[in-house]
Coordinates of all heavy atoms in Angstrom, one line a residue:
M1 N 90.5 66.8 81.6 CA 92.0 66.8 81.4 C 92.7 67.4 82.6 O 92.2 68.3 83.2 CB 92.3 67.8 80.2 CG 93.7 68.0 79.9 SD 94.1 69.0 78.6 CE 94.6 70.5 79.4
T2 N 93.7 66.7 83.0 CA 94.5 67.2 84.1 C 96.0 67.4 83.6 O 96.4 66.9 82.6 CB 94.5 66.2 85.3 OG1 95.0 64.9 84.8 CG2 93.1 66.0 85.8
D3 N 96.7 68.1 84.4 CA 98.1 68.5 84.1 C 99.0 67.6 84.9 O 98.6 66.9 85.8 CB 98.3 70.0 84.4 CG 97.3 70.8 83.6 OD1 97.5 70.9 82.4 OD2 96.4 71.5 84.2
A4 N 100.3 67.7 84.6 CA 101.3 66.9 85.3 C 101.8 67.6 86.6 O 103.0 67.7 86.8 CB 102.5 66.6 84.4
V5 N 100.9 68.1 87.4 CA 101.2 68.8 88.7 C 100.5 68.1 89.8 O 99.4 67.5 89.6 CB 100.9 70.3 88.6 CG1 101.8 71.0 87.6 CG2 99.5 70.6 88.2
Q6 N 101.0 68.2 91.0 CA 100.4 67.6 92.2 C 99.9 68.7 93.1 O 100.5 69.7 93.2 CB 101.5 66.8 92.9 CG 102.1 65.7 92.2 CD 101.1 64.6 91.7 OE1 100.2 64.2 92.5 NE2 101.1 64.3 90.4
P7 N 98.7 68.4 93.7 CA 98.1 69.4 94.5 C 98.8 69.5 95.9 O 98.6 68.8 96.8 CB 96.6 69.0 94.7 CG 96.7 67.5 94.5 CD 97.8 67.3 93.5
E8 N 99.7 70.4 95.9 CA 100.5 70.7 97.2 C 100.9 72.2 97.2 O 100.6 72.9 96.3 CB 101.7 69.8 97.2 CG 102.7 70.0 96.1 CD 103.8 69.0 96.0 OE1 103.7 68.0 96.6 OE2 104.8 69.3 95.3
R9 N 101.4 72.6 98.3 CA 101.8 74.0 98.5 C 103.3 74.1 98.1 O 104.1 73.1 98.1 CB 101.7 74.4 99.9 CG 100.2 74.4 100.3 CD 100.0 75.0 101.7 NE 100.4 76.4 101.8 CZ 99.6 77.4 101.7 NH1 98.3 77.2 101.4 NH2 100.0 78.6 101.8
P10 N 103.7 75.3 97.8 CA 105.1 75.5 97.4 C 106.1 75.1 98.5 O 107.2 74.6 98.3 CB 105.3 77.0 97.2 CG 103.9 77.5 96.8 CD 103.0 76.5 97.6
E11 N 105.7 75.2 99.8 CA 106.5 74.8 100.9 C 106.9 73.3 100.8 O 107.9 72.9 101.3 CB 105.8 75.1 102.2 CG 105.7 76.6 102.5 CD 104.5 77.3 101.9 OE1 103.6 76.5 101.4 OE2 104.4 78.5 101.9
D12 N 106.0 72.5 100.3 CA 106.2 71.1 100.1 C 107.4 70.8 99.2 O 107.9 69.7 99.2 CB 104.9 70.4 99.6 CG 103.8 70.5 100.6 OD1 104.0 70.6 101.8 OD2 102.6 70.5 100.1
E13 N 107.7 71.8 98.4 CA 108.8 71.7 97.4 C 110.0 72.5 97.9 O 111.0 72.8 97.1 CB 108.4 72.2 96.0 CG 107.4 71.3 95.4 CD 107.8 69.9 95.2 OE1 109.0 69.6 94.9 OE2 107.0 68.9 95.4
G14 N 110.0 73.0 99.1 CA 111.1 73.7 99.7 C 111.2 75.2 99.3 O 112.2 75.9 99.4
L15 N 110.0 75.7 98.8 CA 110.0 77.1 98.4 C 109.2 77.9 99.4 O 108.2 77.5 99.9 CB 109.2 77.2 97.0 CG 109.9 76.5 95.9 CD1 108.9 76.5 94.7 CD2 111.1 77.2 95.4
R16 N 109.8 79.1 99.7 CA 109.2 80.0 100.7 C 108.1 80.8 100.0 O 108.3 81.3 98.9 CB 110.2 81.0 101.3 CG 109.7 81.9 102.3 CD 110.8 82.9 102.7 NE 111.2 83.8 101.6 CZ 110.5 84.8 101.1 NH1 109.4 85.2 101.7 NH2 111.0 85.5 100.1
E17 N 106.9 80.9 100.6 CA 105.8 81.7 100.1 C 106.0 83.2 100.5 O 106.0 83.5 101.7 CB 104.5 81.2 100.6 CG 103.3 81.9 100.0 CD 102.0 81.3 100.5 OE1 102.0 80.1 101.0 OE2 101.0 82.1 100.5
P18 N 106.2 84.1 99.5 CA 106.6 85.5 99.8 C 105.4 86.4 100.1 O 104.3 86.0 99.8 CB 107.3 85.9 98.5 CG 106.5 85.2 97.5 CD 106.2 83.8 98.1
E19 N 105.7 87.5 100.7 CA 104.7 88.6 100.7 C 105.0 89.5 99.4 O 106.2 89.9 99.2 CB 105.0 89.5 101.9 CG 104.6 88.8 103.2 CD 103.1 88.6 103.4 OE1 102.3 89.4 102.9 OE2 102.8 87.5 103.9
L20 N 104.1 89.7 98.6 CA 104.3 90.4 97.4 C 104.2 91.9 97.6 O 103.3 92.4 98.4 CB 103.3 90.0 96.3 CG 103.4 88.6 95.7 CD1 102.3 88.4 94.7 CD2 104.8 88.5 95.1
P21 N 105.0 92.7 96.9 CA 104.8 94.2 96.9 C 103.4 94.5 96.4 O 102.9 93.8 95.5 CB 105.9 94.7 96.0 CG 106.8 93.6 95.7 CD 106.1 92.3 96.0
Q22 N 102.9 95.6 96.8 CA 101.5 96.0 96.4 C 101.4 96.0 94.9 O 100.3 95.6 94.4 CB 101.2 97.4 97.0 CG 99.8 97.9 96.8 CD 98.8 97.1 97.5 OE1 99.1 96.5 98.6 NE2 97.6 97.0 97.0
V23 N 102.4 96.4 94.2 CA 102.3 96.5 92.7 C 102.1 95.1 92.1 O 101.4 95.1 91.0 CB 103.6 97.2 92.1 CG1 104.8 96.3 92.2 CG2 103.3 97.6 90.7
D24 N 102.5 94.1 92.7 CA 102.4 92.7 92.1 C 101.1 92.0 92.5 O 100.7 91.1 91.9 CB 103.5 91.8 92.5 CG 104.9 92.2 91.9 OD1 104.8 92.9 90.8 OD2 105.9 91.9 92.4
I25 N 100.4 92.5 93.5 CA 99.3 91.8 94.1 C 98.1 91.7 93.1 O 97.6 90.6 92.9 CB 98.8 92.5 95.4 CG1 99.8 92.3 96.5 CG2 97.4 92.0 95.8 CD1 99.5 93.0 97.7
E26 N 97.8 92.8 92.4 CA 96.7 92.7 91.4 C 97.0 91.7 90.3 O 96.1 90.9 89.9 CB 96.4 94.1 90.9 CG 95.1 94.1 90.0 CD 93.9 93.7 90.7 OE1 93.8 93.9 91.9 OE2 93.0 93.2 90.0
G27 N 98.2 91.7 89.7 CA 98.6 90.8 88.7 C 98.5 89.4 89.2 O 98.0 88.5 88.4
A28 N 98.9 89.1 90.4 CA 98.9 87.8 91.0 C 97.5 87.3 91.1 O 97.1 86.2 90.8 CB 99.7 87.8 92.3
R29 N 96.6 88.2 91.6 CA 95.2 87.8 91.8 C 94.5 87.5 90.4 O 93.8 86.5 90.3 CB 94.4 89.0 92.4 CG 94.7 89.1 93.9 CD 93.9 90.2 94.5 NE 94.2 90.4 95.9 CZ 94.1 91.5 96.5 NH1 93.7 92.6 95.9 NH2 94.5 91.6 97.8
L30 N 94.9 88.3 89.4 CA 94.3 88.0 88.1 C 94.7 86.7 87.6 O 93.9 85.9 87.1 CB 94.7 89.1 87.1 CG 94.0 90.5 87.4 CD1 94.6 91.5 86.4 CD2 92.5 90.4 87.2
L31 N 96.0 86.4 87.7 CA 96.5 85.1 87.2 C 95.9 83.9 88.0 O 95.6 82.9 87.5 CB 98.1 85.1 87.3 CG 98.7 83.7 86.8 CD1 98.3 83.4 85.3 CD2 100.2 83.8 86.9
A32 N 95.9 84.1 89.3 CA 95.3 83.1 90.2 C 93.8 82.8 89.8 O 93.4 81.6 89.7 CB 95.3 83.5 91.7
N33 N 93.1 83.8 89.5 CA 91.7 83.6 89.1 C 91.6 82.9 87.7 O 90.7 82.1 87.5 CB 90.9 84.9 89.0 CG 90.7 85.5 90.4 OD1 90.6 84.7 91.4 ND2 90.5 86.8 90.5
E34 N 92.5 83.2 86.8 CA 92.6 82.6 85.5 C 92.9 81.1 85.6 O 92.5 80.3 84.9 CB 93.6 83.3 84.6 CG 93.1 84.6 84.1 CD 94.2 85.3 83.3 OE1 95.0 84.6 82.7 OE2 94.2 86.6 83.2
A35 N 93.8 80.8 86.6 CA 94.4 79.4 86.7 C 93.5 78.6 87.6 O 93.6 77.3 87.6 CB 95.8 79.5 87.3
R36 N 92.7 79.2 88.4 CA 91.9 78.5 89.5 C 91.2 77.2 89.0 O 91.3 76.1 89.5 CB 91.0 79.4 90.2 CG 90.7 79.0 91.6 CD 90.0 80.2 92.4 NE 90.8 81.4 92.5 CZ 91.8 81.6 93.3 NH1 92.2 80.6 94.1 NH2 92.4 82.7 93.3
E37 N 90.3 77.4 87.9 CA 89.5 76.3 87.5 C 90.4 75.1 87.0 O 90.1 73.9 87.3 CB 88.6 76.7 86.3 CG 87.7 75.7 85.8 CD 86.7 76.2 84.7 OE1 86.5 77.4 84.7 OE2 86.3 75.3 84.0
R38 N 91.4 75.4 86.3 CA 92.3 74.4 85.7 C 93.0 73.7 86.9 O 93.1 72.4 86.9 CB 93.3 75.0 84.8 CG 94.2 74.0 84.1 CD 94.5 74.4 82.7 NE 95.5 73.5 82.2 CZ 96.2 73.8 81.1 NH1 96.1 74.9 80.5 NH2 97.1 72.9 80.7
L39 N 93.6 74.4 87.9 CA 94.3 73.8 89.0 C 93.3 73.1 89.9 O 93.7 72.0 90.5 CB 95.1 74.8 89.7 CG 96.4 75.2 89.0 CD1 97.1 76.4 89.6 CD2 97.3 74.1 88.8
H40 N 92.1 73.5 90.0 CA 91.1 72.8 90.8 C 90.9 71.4 90.2 O 90.7 70.4 90.9 CB 89.7 73.5 90.8 CG 89.7 74.7 91.8 ND1 88.6 75.5 91.9 CD2 90.6 75.1 92.8 CE1 88.8 76.4 92.8 NE2 90.0 76.2 93.4
A41 N 90.9 71.3 88.9 CA 90.7 70.0 88.2 C 91.9 69.1 88.5 O 91.7 67.9 88.5 CB 90.6 70.2 86.7
D42 N 93.0 69.7 88.9 CA 94.2 68.9 89.3 C 94.2 68.5 90.7 O 95.1 67.9 91.2 CB 95.5 69.6 88.9 CG 95.7 69.7 87.4 OD1 95.4 68.7 86.7 OD2 96.1 70.8 86.9
G43 N 93.2 69.0 91.5 CA 93.1 68.7 92.9 C 93.6 69.8 93.8 O 93.6 69.7 95.0
F44 N 94.0 70.9 93.3 CA 94.5 72.1 94.1 C 93.3 72.8 94.8 O 92.2 72.9 94.2 CB 95.2 73.1 93.3 CG 96.6 72.7 92.8 CD1 96.8 71.7 91.8 CD2 97.7 73.2 93.3 CE1 98.0 71.3 91.4 CE2 99.0 72.9 92.9 CZ 99.1 71.9 91.9
D45 N 93.5 73.3 96.0 CA 92.5 74.1 96.6 C 92.9 75.6 96.4 O 94.0 75.9 95.9 CB 92.3 73.8 98.1 CG 93.5 74.0 99.0 OD1 94.4 74.8 98.6 OD2 93.6 73.3 100.0
D46 N 92.0 76.5 96.8 CA 92.3 77.9 96.5 C 93.6 78.4 97.2 O 94.3 79.2 96.6 CB 91.1 78.8 97.0 CG 89.9 78.7 96.1 OD1 90.1 78.4 94.9 OD2 88.8 78.8 96.6
A47 N 93.9 77.9 98.4 CA 95.1 78.4 99.1 C 96.3 77.9 98.4 O 97.3 78.6 98.3 CB 95.1 77.8 100.6
Q48 N 96.3 76.7 97.8 CA 97.4 76.2 97.1 C 97.6 77.0 95.8 O 98.8 77.3 95.4 CB 97.3 74.7 96.8 CG 97.3 73.8 98.0 CD 96.8 72.4 97.7 OE1 95.9 72.2 97.0 NE2 97.5 71.5 98.3
V49 N 96.6 77.3 95.1 CA 96.7 78.1 93.9 C 97.3 79.5 94.2 O 98.2 79.9 93.6 CB 95.3 78.3 93.2 CG1 95.3 79.3 92.1 CG2 94.7 77.0 92.8
D50 N 96.7 80.1 95.2 CA 97.2 81.5 95.6 C 98.7 81.4 96.0 O 99.5 82.3 95.6 CB 96.4 82.0 96.7 CG 95.0 82.3 96.3 OD1 94.7 82.5 95.1 OD2 94.1 82.4 97.2
A51 N 99.1 80.4 96.7 CA 100.5 80.3 97.2 C 101.4 80.1 96.0 O 102.5 80.7 95.9 CB 100.6 79.1 98.1
W52 N 101.1 79.2 95.0 CA 101.9 79.0 93.9 C 102.0 80.3 93.0 O 103.1 80.6 92.5 CB 101.4 77.8 93.0 CG 101.9 76.5 93.5 CD1 101.1 75.6 94.1 CD2 103.2 76.0 93.5 NE1 101.9 74.5 94.5 CE2 103.2 74.7 94.0 CE3 104.4 76.5 92.9 CZ2 104.4 73.9 94.1 CZ3 105.6 75.7 93.1 CH2 105.5 74.5 93.6
V53 N 101.0 81.0 92.9 CA 101.0 82.2 92.1 C 101.9 83.3 92.8 O 102.7 83.9 92.1 CB 99.6 82.8 91.8 CG1 99.7 84.2 91.3 CG2 98.8 81.9 90.9
R54 N 101.9 83.4 94.1 CA 102.7 84.3 94.8 C 104.2 83.9 94.6 O 105.0 84.8 94.3 CB 102.4 84.4 96.3 CG 101.1 85.2 96.6 CD 101.0 85.5 98.0 NE 100.7 84.3 98.8 CZ 99.5 83.7 99.0 NH1 98.4 84.3 98.5 NH2 99.4 82.7 99.8
V55 N 104.5 82.7 94.7 CA 105.9 82.2 94.5 C 106.3 82.5 93.0 O 107.4 83.0 92.8 CB 106.1 80.7 94.8 CG1 107.5 80.2 94.4 CG2 105.9 80.5 96.3
Y56 N 105.5 82.2 92.1 CA 105.7 82.5 90.7 C 106.1 83.9 90.4 O 107.1 84.3 89.8 CB 104.5 82.0 89.9 CG 104.5 82.1 88.4 CD1 105.4 81.3 87.6 CD2 103.7 83.0 87.7 CE1 105.4 81.4 86.3 CE2 103.7 83.1 86.3 CZ 104.5 82.3 85.6 OH 104.5 82.3 84.2
F57 N 105.3 84.8 91.0 CA 105.5 86.3 90.8 C 106.8 86.7 91.5 O 107.5 87.5 91.0 CB 104.3 87.1 91.3 CG 103.3 87.4 90.2 CD1 102.5 86.5 89.7 CD2 103.2 88.7 89.7 CE1 101.6 86.8 88.7 CE2 102.3 89.0 88.7 CZ 101.5 88.1 88.2
E58 N 107.0 86.2 92.7 CA 108.1 86.6 93.5 C 109.4 86.3 92.8 O 110.4 87.0 92.9 CB 108.1 85.9 94.9 CG 109.1 86.4 95.9 CD 110.4 85.6 95.9 OE1 110.4 84.5 95.5 OE2 111.4 86.2 96.4
Q59 N 109.4 85.2 92.0 CA 110.6 84.8 91.3 C 110.8 85.5 89.9 O 111.6 85.1 89.1 CB 110.7 83.3 91.2 CG 110.8 82.6 92.5 CD 111.3 81.2 92.4 OE1 111.6 80.7 91.4 NE2 111.3 80.5 93.6
G60 N 109.9 86.5 89.7 CA 110.1 87.3 88.6 C 109.3 86.9 87.4 O 109.5 87.5 86.3
H61 N 108.4 86.0 87.5 CA 107.6 85.5 86.4 C 106.3 86.3 86.4 O 105.8 86.8 87.4 CB 107.3 84.0 86.5 CG 108.5 83.2 86.6 ND1 109.2 82.8 85.5 CD2 109.0 82.5 87.7 CE1 110.2 82.1 85.9 NE2 110.1 81.9 87.2
E62 N 105.7 86.4 85.2 CA 104.4 87.0 85.1 C 103.8 86.3 83.9 O 104.4 85.5 83.2 CB 104.5 88.5 84.7 CG 105.1 89.4 85.7 CD 105.1 90.8 85.3 OE1 104.3 91.2 84.4 OE2 105.9 91.6 85.8
G63 N 102.5 86.5 83.8 CA 101.9 86.0 82.5 C 100.8 85.0 82.6 O 99.8 85.2 83.2
T64 N 101.0 83.9 81.9 CA 100.0 83.0 81.5 C 99.8 81.8 82.5 O 100.7 81.5 83.2 CB 100.3 82.4 80.1 OG1 101.4 81.6 80.2 CG2 100.5 83.5 79.1
V65 N 98.6 81.2 82.3 CA 98.3 80.0 83.1 C 99.3 78.9 82.7 O 99.8 78.2 83.5 CB 96.9 79.6 82.9 CG1 96.6 78.2 83.5 CG2 95.9 80.6 83.4
E66 N 99.6 78.8 81.4 CA 100.5 77.8 80.9 C 101.9 78.0 81.5 O 102.6 77.1 81.9 CB 100.6 77.9 79.3 CG 99.4 77.4 78.6 CD 99.0 76.0 79.0 OE1 99.8 75.1 79.1 OE2 97.7 75.8 79.0
G67 N 102.4 79.3 81.6 CA 103.6 79.5 82.2 C 103.6 79.1 83.7 O 104.6 78.6 84.2
L68 N 102.6 79.4 84.4 CA 102.4 79.0 85.8 C 102.5 77.5 86.0 O 103.2 77.0 86.8 CB 101.1 79.6 86.4 CG 100.8 79.1 87.8 CD1 101.8 79.6 88.8 CD2 99.4 79.6 88.2
L69 N 101.8 76.8 85.1 CA 101.7 75.3 85.2 C 103.1 74.8 84.9 O 103.6 73.8 85.6 CB 100.7 74.8 84.2 CG 99.3 75.0 84.6 CD1 98.3 74.7 83.4 CD2 98.9 74.2 85.8
A70 N 103.8 75.3 83.9 CA 105.2 74.9 83.6 C 106.1 75.1 84.8 O 107.0 74.3 85.1 CB 105.7 75.6 82.4
F71 N 105.9 76.3 85.5 CA 106.7 76.6 86.7 C 106.5 75.6 87.8 O 107.4 75.0 88.4 CB 106.4 78.0 87.1 CG 107.0 78.4 88.4 CD1 108.4 78.7 88.5 CD2 106.3 78.4 89.6 CE1 109.0 79.1 89.7 CE2 106.9 78.8 90.8 CZ 108.2 79.1 90.8
I72 N 105.2 75.3 88.1 CA 104.9 74.3 89.1 C 105.4 73.0 88.8 O 106.1 72.3 89.6 CB 103.3 74.2 89.3 CG1 102.8 75.6 89.8 CG2 103.0 73.1 90.3 CD1 101.3 75.7 89.8
E73 N 105.2 72.5 87.5 CA 105.7 71.2 87.1 C 107.3 71.1 87.3 O 107.8 70.1 87.8 CB 105.3 70.9 85.7 CG 105.7 69.6 85.2 CD 105.2 69.2 83.8 OE1 104.3 70.0 83.3 OE2 105.6 68.2 83.3
A74 N 108.0 72.2 86.9 CA 109.4 72.2 87.0 C 109.9 72.2 88.4 O 110.8 71.4 88.8 CB 110.0 73.4 86.3
E75 N 109.2 72.9 89.3 CA 109.6 72.9 90.7 C 109.3 71.6 91.3 O 110.1 71.1 92.2 CB 108.8 74.0 91.4 CG 109.3 75.4 91.1 CD 110.7 75.7 91.4 OE1 111.3 75.2 92.4 OE2 111.4 76.5 90.6
Q76 N 108.2 71.0 91.0 CA 107.9 69.6 91.6 C 108.9 68.6 91.0 O 109.3 67.7 91.8 CB 106.5 69.3 91.3 CG 105.5 70.1 92.1 CD 104.0 69.8 91.8 OE1 103.7 69.2 90.8 NE2 103.2 70.2 92.7
A77 N 109.3 68.7 89.8 CA 110.2 67.7 89.2 C 111.6 67.9 89.8 O 112.4 66.9 89.8 CB 110.3 67.9 87.7
A78 N 111.9 69.1 90.3 CA 113.2 69.3 90.9 C 113.5 68.5 92.2 O 114.6 68.2 92.5 CB 113.4 70.8 91.2
G79 N 112.4 68.1 92.8 CA 112.5 67.1 93.9 C 113.1 67.7 95.2 O 113.7 67.0 95.9
R80 N 113.0 69.0 95.4 CA 113.6 69.6 96.6 C 112.8 69.1 97.8 O 111.7 68.7 97.7 CB 113.6 71.1 96.6 CG 114.5 71.7 95.5 CD 114.4 73.2 95.7 NE 114.7 73.9 94.5 CZ 113.9 74.2 93.5 NH1 112.6 73.9 93.7 NH2 114.3 74.8 92.4
T81 N 113.4 69.2 98.9 CA 112.7 68.9 100.2 C 112.6 70.1 101.0 O 113.6 70.9 101.0 CB 113.4 67.7 101.0 OG1 114.7 68.1 101.2 CG2 113.4 66.4 100.2
P82 N 111.6 70.3 101.8 CA 111.4 71.5 102.6 C 112.5 71.6 103.7 O 113.1 70.7 104.1 CB 110.0 71.3 103.2 CG 109.4 70.2 102.6 CD 110.4 69.4 101.8

């Protein structure tokens, strides 16, 4: 099973990859590890997974793999250019 997301970096969608505050780093790592297998199945590499999770957290989101996937899909559907 694959999701409706494309293996690319947030920069490809015009999003800046942030430096996270120390308090968010652990949560981001945990979510990235939870999402990694599923996003690998979609063709993402580890750097792409980590980058999307950092952007997701920087924009105030937290939580689930499903939420992360919905965020990536929405950003890709927005069709921004870098």
Side-chain angles (χ1 to χ4, degrees):
M1 178 178 106
T2 59
D3 301 292
V5 294
Q6 300 300 312
E8 59 188 17
R9 295 184 65 93
E11 291 85 10
D12 297 331
E13 294 300 323
L15 298 168
R16 182 186 62 80
E17 187 179 331
E19 292 291 325
L20 290 178
Q22 188 66 29
V23 71
D24 290 338
I25 291 174
E26 187 61 28
R29 285 183 185 150
L30 290 171
L31 180 58
N33 288 338
E34 290 176 24
R36 206 168 300 283
E37 184 177 336
R38 186 149 170 195
L39 287 171
H40 282 174
D42 292 320
F44 287 72
D45 63 27
D46 286 333
Q48 291 167 322
V49 172
D50 294 338
W52 276 108
V53 169
R54 283 192 295 274
V55 170
Y56 183 67
F57 266 72
E58 190 265 340
Q59 293 197 7
H61 303 284
E62 294 182 22
T64 67
V65 172
E66 293 300 324
L68 173 64
L69 290 167
F71 174 76
I72 295 170
E73 186 174 348
E75 290 298 326
Q76 290 179 341
R80 292 186 206 86
T81 57

